[in-house]
Amino acid sequence: MRVAIVGCGLVGNRRARALGESRLVAVADTNRTRAEQLAAHFPGCAASADWQSVVERPDVDLVIVATTNDALTPVALAAVQRRKHVLVEKPAARSAAELVPLIGAARQAGVTVKVGFNHRFHPALRKAHEIHRGGALGRLMYLRGRYGHGGRPGYAHEWRADPTRAGGGEMLDQGVHLIDLARWFAGDFVEVSGHVGTYFWDAPVEDNGFLLLKTAAGQVAWLHASWTEWKNLFCLEVFGTDGKLQIDGLGGSYGVERLAFYRMLPEMGPPESTIWEYPGEDPSWCAELDHLVECIAEGRTPSGSLDDALAALQIVERVYARSAR
């Protein structure tokens, strides 16, 4: 596919390196120098500070939107209205209300829009989901997830800590990944409780969020997202009546990606343990784009859709409302 990227920061650069057989034809960033630096790695790629001109190009099939949260929906909506397919980074909007018009526009235009929930495409998480769907865990009982980092000097002054640009704090940053993964394994949650608070960073948004979610069948997800996790951490545990799955690490500063499957034996006691490790470069970015291209070709709804993003945003907003009381 012929691809344009709007937003040439860290994530935009990662997306550009994960295009596979697709071709990057244009990039845009409000900082033109950043756009030019990215375009220089791709022969024939045009750079611009005007994202609208890039979205309007007739030689673009797919637009990747990797901007700050306040621009995600406006850029994606403009692309959809020009009948471009779109990959928009999570959380896709600052609020559920902001996202709803994009959902309607995508359906009307008949284009495919995927949200950047790349964690679904990490190999340990894909393998865990495959084991769960195959029934080896037995009946799903509950999930427990923790995700966080410790920020950096000046973090409270970056855009993620600006409620106007970001829409919220850590719950809209890493928290939506945990919510999305919990829904991927357990389905929709009908009961939402929890709390968000600012414990360390001098910022007008939360630096920690705690969630307790429950499905109609009584399955529970306990989730904690944190900007005060002084050693970067990702851990998701999935408990069934016949075993447990534990995913640790995402590569890089989060440690080697690892999946453990603990299968209970009839006599109980120590479980049968199987371990998979996935060292090396993070393949989720390439796998997610490959999945999107396949969905576009086959007319399928992608895994990590606009509806998935809407459900995650609605959960975040319910916790924000509870914490504001």
Side-chain angles (χ1 to χ4, degrees), residues 162-174:
D162 179 349
T164 301
R165 300 182 73 188
E170 169 66 336
M171 286 310 302
L172 283 179
D173 184 12
Q174 294 179 312

Side-chain angles (χ1 to χ4, degrees), residues 101-282:
L102 177 59
I103 296 174
R107 288 174 179 161
Q108 184 176 2
V111 296
T112 301
V113 180
K114 187 188 178 332
V115 179
F117 285 126
N118 70 299
H119 288 36
R120 292 187 181 214
F121 296 87
H122 272 270
L125 284 155
R126 295 179 86 171
K127 181 67 175 179
H129 195 262
E130 176 188 319
I131 292 170
H132 164 56
R133 290 300 182 198
L137 280 185
R139 177 177 53 82
L140 180 66
M141 298 188 296
Y142 58 93
L143 302 95
R144 182 167 58 208
R146 296 172 293 149
Y147 195 7
H149 63 81
R152 52 187 164 260
Y155 199 71
H157 304 291
E158 296 184 15
W159 72 265
R160 292 187 189 278
D162 179 349
T164 301
R165 300 182 73 188
E170 169 66 336
M171 286 310 302
L172 283 179
D173 184 12
Q174 294 179 312
V176 290
H177 276 306
L178 286 178
I179 295 168
D180 180 65
L181 291 173
R183 290 188 64 254
W184 193 36
F185 279 90
D188 288 325
F189 295 103
V190 297
E191 295 184 30
V192 176
S193 60
H195 175 73
V196 299
T198 307
Y199 295 87
F200 178 82
W201 294 101
D202 184 15
V205 296
E206 79 282 357
D207 59 23
N208 276 266
F210 309 87
L211 295 179
L212 180 62
L213 312 176
K214 186 182 292 186
T215 69
Q219 298 152 323
V220 167
W222 184 91
L223 310 174
H224 176 207
S226 176
W227 281 347
T228 59
E229 189 68 59
W230 304 128
K231 168 61 181 73
N232 289 8
L233 171 74
F234 177 86
C235 179
L236 181 68
E237 299 165 281
V238 184
F239 295 80
T241 52
D242 296 333
K244 168 189 171 181
L245 296 165
Q246 180 167 329
I247 302 97
D248 292 288
L250 295 170
S253 62
Y254 288 88
V256 173
E257 189 170 336
R258 181 179 185 269
L259 168 63
F261 177 25
Y262 302 109
R263 190 173 67 86
M264 297 305 298
L265 302 175
E267 64 272 22
M268 303 294 284
E272 176 185 275
S273 301
T274 307
I275 309 294
W276 295 266
E277 288 196 347
Y278 303 91
E281 191 172 346
D282 174 6

Side-chain angles (χ1 to χ4, degrees), residues 68-74 76 88-102 115 165-168 172 176 306 309-310 313 317:
T68 53
N69 291 356
D70 56 318
L72 291 173
T73 301
V88 56
E89 295 299 340
K90 62 82 188 166
R94 292 170 295 180
S95 67
E98 190 174 59
L99 186 62
V100 168
L102 177 59
V115 179
R165 300 182 73 188
L172 283 179
V176 290
L306 285 173
L310 180 64
L313 285 168
E317 288 177 358

Side-chain angles (χ1 to χ4, degrees), residues 23-24 32 48 57 145 166 183 192 208 228 308:
R23 182 166 61 91
L24 187 61
R32 185 182 180 91
S48 175
R57 289 176 61 117
R183 290 188 64 254
V192 176
N208 276 266
T228 59
D308 291 318

